[in-house]
């Protein structure tokens, strides 16, 4: 049984179906509709999707990015990555896709009768005959194995490790989609300022996915509206940032998403007997490497492979944890460190930008390949 039909839960259900293993996925939301955001899928995630037989479809629905870099708000480059070097090292371009399209592809690979929308997992007891899982409609179900794919606020992880708490990272992130084609004039990438950044990537030829971060208090909201605030905040930054924000739709809820950023102390444990967690439920990470969803996909592929052995879930879960722990811990740590650099306040920010500009491109690319290259999962 899987709790949560997000990226990790759906990918795992698709993987288990491929292996011929029965599964039921409970999702507390009534629909899987996603609004207002893209997601970047690095070659490591595309390789995981290939193993599920879904890579080609995802590539066909997204925009491709193989060059880019990091700039200062005045447009001067801190780091720039050349297309050939990138593709040689990472194996193929990064794909940027609307989250709704990614979930549609994953959902279509899941046996329809195994997906139960509008029913949340509320808790569980492990007994001699299996796991008794309490559901939000008041019923209970017995499962041989339970996998929490229920995201950053995971109830499954909370029940297993009540002492582990989320940590507010000290900043918030906005995401949106603009009716704006980057064309060949605008090189995608990120722009680092003082205490925040703005990034943009092509979502096909006529749309752009953008994101921004800023140091703020937890739970804050812009009184004048998020988009109005952002247009003012980034109004003086280099082209095409003001134009991207101007071309972002203001109507309807959810067109600009705002999420406070959290991670948590590394528990080192993602399994307990016949219960396991994957994706953000196991290892929430800051978004700066664009790897949270990619790692959820890797988890799903590794775990479905382990479960196909036919061993009891507890043994397969243990092997999944051993196989994944080292790599994921490194990525969680690096995402946090990168976040600290990017969010650095005055007077540190200009020094950090200068240091980052001194990193040789070859070293940067080699490092990126270890995190996000096609072969990184193997
Ligand atoms: C600003 C920002 C930008 C990001 N950019 C990227 C990026 O470019 N690339 C990338 O790879 N990652 C990115 N990420 C990270 C990525 O979004 C997450 O890592 C990814 O969504 C995790 O997938 P998941 O399946 O573990 O969790 P989720 O996608 O959060 O899915 C969890 C699901 O569980 C459901 N659920 C919750 N509780 C219950 C319950 N009790 N019972 C049943 N269902 C439940 C939820 O409704 C949800 O559908 C970004 C994150 C942020 C905040």
């Amino acid at each position: 049984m899987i709790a949560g039909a997000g990226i990790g839960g759906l990918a795992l259900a698709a993987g288990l179906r491929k292996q011929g293993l029965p599964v039921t996925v409970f999702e507390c939301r009534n629909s899987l509709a996603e609004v207002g955001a893209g997601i970047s899928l690095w070659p490591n995630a595309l390789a995981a999707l290939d193993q599920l037989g879904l890579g080609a479809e995802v590539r066909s629905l997204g925009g491709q990015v193989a060059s880019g870099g990091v700039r200062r708000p005045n447009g001067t480059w801190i780091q720039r990555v050349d297309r050939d070097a990138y593709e040689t090292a990472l194996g193929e371009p990064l794909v940027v896709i609307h989250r709704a399209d990614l979930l549609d592809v994953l959902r279509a690979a899941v046996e329809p009768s195994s997906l139960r929308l509008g029913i949340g997992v509320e808790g569980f007891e492990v007994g001699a005959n299996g796991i008794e899982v309490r559901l939000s409609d008041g019923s209970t179900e017995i499962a041989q194995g339970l996998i929490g794919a229920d995201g950053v606020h995971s109830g499954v992880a909370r029940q297993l490790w009540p002492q582990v708490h989320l940590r507010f990272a000290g900043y918030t992130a906005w995401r949106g989609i603009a009716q704006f084609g980057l064309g060949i004039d605008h090189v995608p990438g990120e722009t680092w300022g003082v205490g925040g950044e703005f990034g943009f990537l092509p979502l096909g030829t006529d749309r752009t996915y953008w994101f921004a971060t800023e140091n703020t208090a937890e739970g804050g909201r812009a009184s004048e509206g998020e988009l109005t605030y952002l247009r003012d905040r980034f109004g003086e930054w280099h082209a095409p940032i003001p134009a991207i924000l101007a071309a972002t739709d203001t109507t309807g809820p959810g067109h600009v998403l705002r999420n406070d950023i959290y991670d948590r102390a590394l528990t080192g444990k993602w399994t307990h007997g016949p219960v396991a967690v994957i994706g953000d439920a196991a290892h929430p990470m800051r978004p700066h490497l664009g790897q949270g969803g990619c790692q959820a996909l890797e988890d799903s592929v590794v775990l479905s492979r382990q479960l196909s052995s036919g061993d009891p879930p507890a043994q397969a879960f243990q092997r999944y944890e051993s196989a994944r722990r080292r790599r994921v811990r490194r990525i969680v740590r690096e995402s946090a460190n990168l976040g600290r650099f990017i969010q650095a306040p005055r007077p540190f920010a200009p020094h950090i930008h200068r240091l980052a500009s001194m990193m040789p491109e070859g070293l940067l690319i080699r490092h990126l390949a270890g995190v996000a290259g096609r072969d990184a999962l193997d």
Side-chain angles (χ1 to χ4, degrees), residues 144-270:
Q144 294 313 305
L146 171 66
I147 295 138
D150 46 347
V152 65
H153 299 287
S154 169
V156 174
R158 221 172 28 245
Q159 181 171 339
L160 288 176
W161 303 288
Q163 72 284 7
V164 175
H165 294 292
L166 284 177
R167 287 185 305 218
F168 174 53
Y171 48 96
T172 204
W174 293 267
R175 287 171 286 170
I177 291 172
Q179 286 300 330
F180 183 93
L182 290 175
I184 50 166
D185 299 336
H186 302 296
V187 180
E190 296 180 3
T191 303
W192 295 356
V194 174
E197 68 170 329
F198 191 97
F200 55 91
L201 296 160
L203 192 59
T205 51
D206 55 357
R207 290 187 302 170
T208 295
Y209 161 55
W210 59 263
F211 54 90
T213 61
E214 182 177 59
N215 295 337
T216 70
E218 190 175 8
R221 290 287 171 264
S223 54
E224 66 274 48
E226 305 300 335
L227 198 51
T228 306
Y229 173 75
L230 293 172
R231 284 175 178 164
D232 184 46
R233 167 82 169 81
F234 295 103
E236 303 291 314
W237 286 33
H238 68 81
I241 292 172
I244 288 172
L245 288 170
T248 300
D249 196 355
T250 49
T251 56
H255 278 282
V256 174
L257 299 177
R258 176 173 176 159
N259 299 95
D260 286 343
I261 298 301
Y262 295 91
D263 61 8
R264 70 177 183 222
L266 287 161
T267 61
K269 288 296 295 169
W270 305 336

Side-chain angles (χ1 to χ4, degrees), residues 55 69 136 244 337:
S136 58
I244 288 172
N337 287 339

Side-chain angles (χ1 to χ4, degrees), residues 32-119:
L32 296 184
E34 283 269 350
V35 283
I39 183 164
S40 46
L41 296 173
W42 289 87
N44 62 312
L46 298 170
L49 286 162
D50 283 339
Q51 295 199 29
L52 297 173
L54 304 174
E57 195 177 353
V58 166
R59 286 183 191 87
S60 75
L61 292 169
Q64 303 210 336
V65 183
S67 62
V70 180
R71 275 168 277 210
R72 298 180 184 83
N74 65 9
T76 55
W77 289 97
I78 294 174
Q79 272 286 353
R80 188 156 181 186
V81 175
D82 165 72
R83 183 181 183 103
D84 288 345
Y86 171 96
E87 278 203 43
T88 309
L90 276 83
E92 64 174 309
L94 169 151
V95 165
V96 187
I97 184 172
H98 198 295
R99 284 182 182 243
D101 292 338
L102 175 62
L103 287 190
D104 277 352
V105 172
L106 293 170
R107 183 194 179 143
V110 174
E111 168 63 43
S113 62
S114 66
L115 188 55
R116 310 268 302 273
L117 296 181
I119 304 177

Side-chain angles (χ1 to χ4, degrees), residues 289-310:
L289 284 173
Q291 276 290 330
C294 300
Q295 291 305 309
L297 289 168
E298 286 193 7
D299 285 349
S300 306
V301 165
V302 171
L303 183 50
S304 55
R305 211 187 289 146
Q306 295 300 344
L307 282 163
S308 73
S309 65

